[in-house]
Amino acid sequence: MAELTGAVWRKSTRSGDNGGACVEVADNLPGLVAVRDSKDLTGPALIFSPTAWSGFVRVTKSGR
């Protein structure tokens, strides 16, 4: 995906040592947030708008 060129991927600090079953997030690109499976670095990524991603994180943290 050309739009992901330059993405800086990071794992959640809550990922822990769970055998690699993690997601990675790249939020350094203008206008999008990408999420991918850490076990499949060349596989597909989900793309969110920054607003949609912020909403997802907020709802997830609230436990709803």
Side-chain angles (χ1 to χ4, degrees):
M1 290 186 141
E3 67 265 12
L4 296 181
T5 301
V8 176
W9 297 96
R10 62 180 173 80
K11 289 182 187 173
S12 168
T13 56
R14 296 183 181 251
S15 292
D17 186 24
N18 58 7
C22 304
V23 295
E24 293 180 320
V25 177
D27 57 4
N28 68 305
L29 301 169
L32 64 89
V33 176
V35 180
R36 71 179 180 185
D37 182 344
S38 65
K39 296 181 303 305
D40 189 6
L41 302 181
T42 60
L46 297 173
I47 306 296
F48 297 90
S49 71
T51 302
W53 181 250
S54 294
F56 171 77
V57 171
R58 185 177 56 257
V59 169
T60 301
K61 284 182 176 181
S62 75
R64 291 188 282 163

